[in-house]
Amino acid sequence: MKLRTLAASWAATRALMLWLLLQDGRAPLGTGGVAREVHELYARWYGVLAGGSFPAGDRLWQYPPGAGPVLLSPGLLPGLTYFEAFVALTLATDLLVTAVLARAGTRAGRSLRGAGLWTAALPLLLHIPLARYDVQVTALAVLSLLALSRSTRACGAFAALGALVKVWPALALIGTPRGRTTKEAWTSAAVAAGALLLVLAALFRDPFDFLRQQSGRGVQIESLGGTVLSFAHHAGWPGTVGYRYGAMEFTGPYVPAVAAALLALTVAALGALLLWRLRARHWTPATPYDAALAAVLLFTVTSRVISPQYLVWLIGLAAVCLTSRHTTQRPVAALVTAAAAVSALAYPVLYDDVVACSWTGSLVMLVRNGLLVTAAGLSFQRLWTATVRPAAPAGTGPAHDAHHLPAETASAP
């Protein structure tokens, strides 16, 4: 893909996404209400944040304090409504991600496939990315990963900023090569996170109230556990679906057990990632990218919540992987792209069916979550196979392996 073709594709697809946003709520886009979160919720939080406080006591405020500056940023564009400014900044951030991926793809040994994937796959989520701030969060994770080869401190700082907005970008650091690279990146992340937290705590009241609200989350209907309960409903399970903590969640018998099982799976996923990091012996330029995608996939599929905008994260990380010709994640990127397309069916197109646990809604969620589970398993398996190697034969050792590492990692102690 040439840069001119990429630019034209971006312009055409984003114009289509904007048009869909204007059609929000009209057939055949299903229930609509995609833009309501910005119009009502984000705008309300903007008023609270502008008054110098986080939304304390608000059951819908479940985000780390770094989300505050993001939600205040539309105020930087006077003359526009909050909604117009939010969409404009989201589009600008989307363009930045595309440009960064394209620049990375033009370097020696790199590929423009990453920029192409981001450009083509994001519109599969219809207009949802324009009405959520996940594009901004994903941009920080993308910048973190692509900065690693040039500045480990910048890599850590971007990851920390992303983590303070929505936690998961911290996983961008899971695959940093051991030794000096990891020490510098993780130290930079800790310093940046601490500094930003101090600033936010000085400027705003109640910066940590989100922790109290987050702990009350149940099992969302679009999660893997929700899919199990949806089919259980067809088998006579008496639970119901209701609006809780800003999402449609299941309530009824066995829901706490399903939530506990998902938490146990999350702990197991963390254990698997830590074991991989201890056992990994071979890093390529793509290993940090591949590890980040595998980690976020594992934590996504084991989460009690899998909102459609979570696919924005996965598309962004898959795009970073595809900038490198060394990546092991090409088939995973294809699965993520397919999951994004099905997610648009689940919400907003067929969301009424998903909420009602109809056979159509249950099957759509089975396909979407089945694709994500397959992608997570395949991603981790390919990461493990490529990096965890048997003991080196006699006559070779760490020095032999270091000779074959990329320049930016071979010097790490």
Side-chain angles (χ1 to χ4, degrees):
M1 177 181 286
K2 295 182 179 180
L3 291 176
R4 187 174 300 176
T5 303
L6 181 69
S9 299
W10 186 90
T13 54
R14 274 43 181 187
L16 176 60
M17 291 169 71
L18 279 171
W19 181 80
L20 289 172
L21 189 61
L22 295 175
Q23 309 306 311
D24 187 35
R26 301 181 185 179
L29 293 181
T31 61
V34 171
R36 189 181 305 126
E37 191 149 333
V38 180
H39 277 299
E40 299 177 5
L41 193 59
Y42 291 3
R44 172 161 62 83
W45 286 340
Y46 174 86
V48 177
L49 289 162
S53 176
F54 286 94
D58 188 336
R59 298 178 68 186
L60 302 182
W61 179 256
Q62 301 154 18
Y63 308 107
V70 176
L71 295 177
L72 282 170
S73 62
L76 298 173
L77 300 180
L80 300 178
T81 66
Y82 183 86
F83 179 78
E84 291 168 344
F86 182 89
V87 173
L89 289 174
T90 303
L91 274 174
T93 307
D94 173 17
L95 181 59
L96 172 65
V97 173
T98 307
V100 169
L101 289 167
R103 183 180 179 185
T106 57
R107 296 175 188 159
R110 298 296 190 101
S111 170
L112 283 172
R113 289 192 184 96
L117 177 72
W118 174 260
T119 300
L122 200 65
L124 295 176
L125 294 169
L126 304 180
H127 50 302
I128 292 172
L130 298 182
R132 301 292 186 273
Y133 70 89
D134 295 87
V135 170
Q136 288 88 325
V137 182
T138 303
L140 292 169
V142 169
L143 289 169
S144 171
L145 287 168
L146 293 179
L148 179 60
S149 62
R150 292 172 175 256
S151 171
T152 52
R153 292 182 175 86
C155 168
F158 280 125
L161 294 178
L164 286 180
V165 178
K166 257 197 176 178
V167 180
W168 69 265
L171 294 171
L173 302 180
I174 192 70
T176 53
R178 287 195 293 267
R180 187 175 66 233
T181 301
T182 287
K183 181 180 179 181
E184 290 181 354
W186 291 16
T187 300
S188 174
V191 171
L196 182 56
L197 278 175
L198 286 174
V199 171
L200 292 174
L203 296 177
F204 298 93
R205 297 182 298 277
D206 302 309
F208 302 107
D209 185 75
F210 76 99
L211 294 171
R212 185 158 52 94
Q213 313 306 332
Q214 186 64 244
S215 63
R217 293 302 297 261
V219 178
Q220 187 216 27
I221 58 174
E222 294 173 78
S223 67
L224 182 61
T227 301
V228 173
L229 293 171
S230 181
F231 278 96
H233 176 78
H234 293 285
W237 176 68
T240 59
V241 173
Y243 184 75
R244 299 176 68 248
Y245 290 90
M248 301 302 292
E249 295 184 350
F250 282 104
T251 57
Y254 309 113
V255 172
V258 172
L262 290 172
L263 179 59
L265 287 174
T266 299
V267 173
L270 176 61
L273 289 167
L274 293 176
L275 179 63
W276 165 77
R277 185 161 177 88
L278 289 172
R279 296 283 303 277
R281 291 293 179 269
H282 178 65
W283 262 261
T284 73
T287 299
Y289 310 161
D290 295 355
L293 177 58
V296 175
L297 270 167
L298 287 171
F299 276 85
T300 297
V301 299
T302 60
S303 173
R304 293 173 294 172
V305 180
I306 308 181
S307 297
Q309 59 266 28
Y310 289 17
L311 272 295
V312 176
W313 316 345
L314 300 176
I315 291 170
L317 295 176
V320 174
C321 291
L322 294 190
T323 62
S324 175
R325 300 183 188 277
H326 297 275
T327 185
T328 63
Q329 303 293 304
R330 290 189 186 91
V332 177
L335 289 170
V336 166
T337 302
V342 180
S343 282
L345 287 178
Y347 181 83
V349 177
L350 296 174
Y351 196 57
D352 284 340
D353 287 281
V354 175
V355 172
C357 297
S358 70
W359 277 109
T360 299
S362 298
L363 289 171
V364 167
M365 293 316 308
L366 178 65
V367 172
R368 199 284 297 269
N369 288 339
L371 287 167
L372 288 179
V373 169
T374 303
L378 182 63
S379 180
F380 185 74
Q381 181 269 324
R382 292 178 72 86
L383 174 69
W384 184 281
T385 300
T387 56
V388 180
R389 301 191 297 177
T396 64
H400 175 81
D401 283 348
H403 179 72
H404 291 85
L405 289 176
E408 65 268 21
T409 60
S411 60

